Amino acid sequence: MTATELAPAKVNLHLHVVGRRPDGYHLLDSLVAFADAADRLSIEPSETFSLRVTGPFATGLMAEPDNLVLRAGRALAEAMGVTPKGALTLDKRLPVASGIGGGSSDAAAALRLLARVWEVQPKPDVISAICQRLGADVPVCLYRQAARMGGIGEIIDPVPALPPAGLVLVNPGVAVATPAVFKARTGAFSVAADLPDTGWADAGAMAATLRRLSNDLQAPAIGLVPVIGDVLARLQATPGCLLARMSGSGATCFGLFGSSEAAAQAARDLDQPGWWAWGGGFFSAARF
Ligand code: C5P
């Protein structure tokens, strides 16, 4: 029997760098949402523990000697005192190293899937320690709902449900190294955003708030990878686009639209050779 988990794309609707720890990691404030675009992780019974990667972005992961999915599985098995087993298949549909948390979301999906099939229930502090060891974005990806992210990624606070909105994701086919972007950031730190406690009535109201905020990694990322500026200009010029911004450390940028239909149309218009463009809505676990 095959069991499957979805690993949706993470989108940083704003991302303020609010400080730096003595160890060099940056303190962040971010409203994180998840898109309906997802990698798929499935498992079939096997006495050994293995991973096969398929899908349009599989080649981007071939060079990796030890995928985050396998590391997540081994860490869970070790913490719970079980032998890791199962033949995993990762259907890689999201671009790699692109600011939408692909690897982190895959690792989080592995933790959810393997806890289910191995029938283990790790305590919150155990799972939280594993997540933090795997990467700063893994805790929020395990949560997999819109959330306010703080600390270096380990603080996850619930937020009111986001209003229905359309989301376009565009990646220009250039991988970006996260440490290089953080290193290129200069100037004063930002303050945490002031967001309404009650959420927003519609996508337009949400965009109006978000327009006053920023992704502090966007300018340094454009400095390193100028095509990100072209992606943002194309998104901004698309009819119906309420806000265009880079996600995470890039290079994927998102556009906020009034509806999934408008976003899907915009993605079709933005598609060009070498670019990846997706349009839809926010992720909803309830539909799967
Ligand atoms: O934790 P993760 O592997 O995703 O982070 C990759 C790199 O990004 C880190 O080694 C660090 O250089 C940078 N980073 C940071 N502050 C964060 C998250 C990541 O400086 N909050």
Side-chain angles (χ1 to χ4, degrees):
M1 203 193 70
T2 307
T4 300
E5 270 285 325
L6 288 171
K10 163 223 76 163
V11 180
N12 298 95
L13 295 177
H14 82 280
L15 196 163
H16 288 186
V17 179
V18 299
R20 192 169 53 228
R21 295 196 321 197
D23 66 1
Y25 267 83
H26 292 78
L27 297 169
L28 309 174
D29 168 53
S30 180
L31 177 61
V32 176
F34 289 88
D36 234 351
D39 291 337
R40 277 166 178 71
L41 184 68
S42 53
I43 188 165
E44 289 184 54
S46 168
E47 283 309 304
T48 58
F49 189 49
S50 63
L51 174 68
R52 187 170 70 99
V53 188
T54 61
F57 289 101
T59 46
L61 289 184
M62 294 307 181
E64 263 192 39
D66 199 10
N67 189 284
L68 218 46
V69 164
L70 288 176
R71 282 173 48 201
R74 287 198 207 103
L76 179 68
E78 195 190 332
M80 302 310 291
V82 298
T83 306
K85 283 179 186 173
L88 291 161
T89 300
L90 175 63
D91 182 10
K92 192 78 203 153
R93 299 182 183 196
L94 303 176
V96 173
S98 76
I100 50 175
S104 305
S105 200
D106 296 342
L111 293 174
R112 281 191 301 268
L113 182 67
L114 296 173
R116 188 147 52 95
V117 299
W118 294 344
E119 297 179 335
V120 294
Q121 276 143 13
K123 294 209 169 72
D125 59 323
V126 170
I127 200 84
S128 152
I130 294 174
C131 283
Q132 285 178 51
R133 221 167 353 123
L134 293 169
D137 277 337
V138 181
V140 78
C141 289
L142 190 71
Y143 187 65
R144 210 174 55 167
Q145 297 174 49
R148 189 80 177 264
M149 191 176 96
I152 65 161
E154 78 282 15
I155 301 173
I156 310 296
D157 286 320
V159 293
L162 299 181
L167 207 51
V168 171
L169 301 177
V170 182
N171 181 277
V174 185
V176 176
T178 302
V181 178
F182 273 106
K183 222 170 172 182
R185 195 209 63 89
T186 52
F189 293 118
S190 296
V191 293
D194 189 11
L195 299 181
D197 297 337
T198 50
W200 298 277
D202 56 40
M206 179 164 71
T209 301
L210 293 173
R211 271 197 290 272
R212 295 197 294 272
L213 310 175
S214 62
N215 178 344
D216 293 344
L217 298 179
Q218 187 173 296
I222 293 172
L224 295 171
V225 182
V227 71
I228 293 170
D230 302 337
V231 171
L232 288 167
R234 288 282 313 277
L235 265 168
Q236 196 75 71
T238 306
C241 182
L242 303 168
L243 170 82
R245 180 165 289 160
M246 190 182 82
S247 178
S249 55
T252 306
C253 297
F254 69 90
L256 204 57
F257 288 75
S259 69
S260 314
E261 293 73 24
Q265 182 56 51
R268 283 192 288 274
D269 294 346
L270 285 160
D271 200 20
Q272 66 174 68
W275 286 22
W276 174 81
W278 172 91
F282 289 130
F283 178 73
S284 160
R287 281 194 292 106
F288 295 94

